[in-house]
Amino acid sequence: MKKEGQHTGMKNIVLLALPQVQLLDIAGPWDVFTAANRFLNTDKEDTGYHVYLVSGTSEKVIYSGSGMPLSCSHTIYDIDFPVDTLLVAGTALSVLEEISHDLYHYLQNIKSDVRRLGSVCVGAFVLAKAGLLDGKQVTTHWKFADTLQKSYPKLEVNVNPFFIRDQPIYTSGGVSSGMDLALALLEEDFGKPLAIEVARHLVLPLKRAGMQSQFGDALPEYEIKSPFTKEVRDLLKDKLGEAITVEYMAEFLNMSVRNFSRVFLKESGMTPGRFLEKMRLDQAKNLLEYTEMSVDMIAVKCGFSNAVSLRRVFLKNISLSPAQYRKAFKTAE
């Protein structure tokens, strides 16, 4: 029985590619949708997906970021079929400055004609530049989330999820997150059993554990770019196992606690306590990846009161326990 809101019938999926596109941004969703066709009832020719690779330029042959040539069936100038779902694949940010404004006009014009509009990885920048994400909750590759937020302040960027749905806009995180999004769209269209079957066929979980942010540093470089913040980071980096207070940080810089906290928040965008927690989290992640040290010892070395406290911080920030993180990211022997 079809659930309420579930869609059936044949749907045209457009994967919109630009020069220097990341191959997996296209190949991942493509394999999810085409694999679904194999498992659908083949007697019903009007059920499933037609998937099209469409160039966002006037050229049908474009080159991926790895140099592989891609032959598109259409360009944005000659699409001659109704589009159900359009996903903009990611590319190098520098490419976006070279793209014709025709692309952004095309997306603006097609918005009202498609059921779903979305992006993979930094494809969110294309939708944002077209003005289609204003007021929306969105995500993108964890490395570029801060750039997206600062470039388009009307957006609400959340780096944690693998994908976000803010109807009728769908945005996904970095690279392989496009497959997480495609599986979610498949489940939305044809139900969970088929989505599970496709996920198993592709040797993927239907829903990945943790958050996209587990793949990046808790404290990326962009959060320590000011000289003031770097000075605090340099002060703390060899003392993370010690009891550190805001008073200690302020005294080192010959500032009052109140003035230090105010300046630090302005320079880094977070409180000193949150900054310290992120530094400790990054050190714990590093020790879990590269050492055999027990979780209890890591907790003490990184300044957490005990393993329970360390676990709580991991779950809060990346939705994985320290043991789960080690299992996922421990270096190969």
Side-chain angles (χ1 to χ4, degrees), residues 2 14 56 244 255 276 294 305 324:
K2 185 181 82 169
V14 164
I244 300 172
M255 300 173 69
L276 177 60
S294 71
S305 56
Q324 289 172 321

Side-chain angles (χ1 to χ4, degrees), residues 313-328:
V313 170
F314 264 74
L315 291 174
K316 179 181 75 172
N317 285 275
I318 61 175
S319 292
L320 292 176
S321 70
Q324 289 172 321
Y325 182 86
R326 170 170 270 169
K327 183 177 180 180

Side-chain angles (χ1 to χ4, degrees), residues 24-64:
L24 195 57
D25 285 13
I26 295 170
W30 188 291
D31 278 344
V32 170
F33 294 126
T34 55
N37 287 339
R38 301 175 202 158
F39 293 107
L40 286 165
N41 188 340
T42 54
D43 294 333
K44 296 181 179 180
E45 296 182 357
D46 63 342
T47 299
Y49 298 105
H50 283 308
V51 188
Y52 298 88
L53 182 59
V54 174
S55 170
T57 74
S58 59
E59 302 294 329
K60 285 191 175 181
V61 176
I62 60 175
Y63 288 84
S64 73

Side-chain angles (χ1 to χ4, degrees), residues 55-93:
S55 170
T57 74
S58 59
E59 302 294 329
K60 285 191 175 181
V61 176
I62 60 175
Y63 288 84
S64 73
S66 60
M68 180 179 290
L70 298 171
S71 181
C72 302
S73 62
H74 297 77
T75 74
I76 57 172
Y77 299 97
D78 59 23
I79 288 183
D80 55 0
F81 54 85
V83 179
D84 175 84
T85 300
L86 185 147
L87 300 179
V88 181
T91 182
L93 292 185

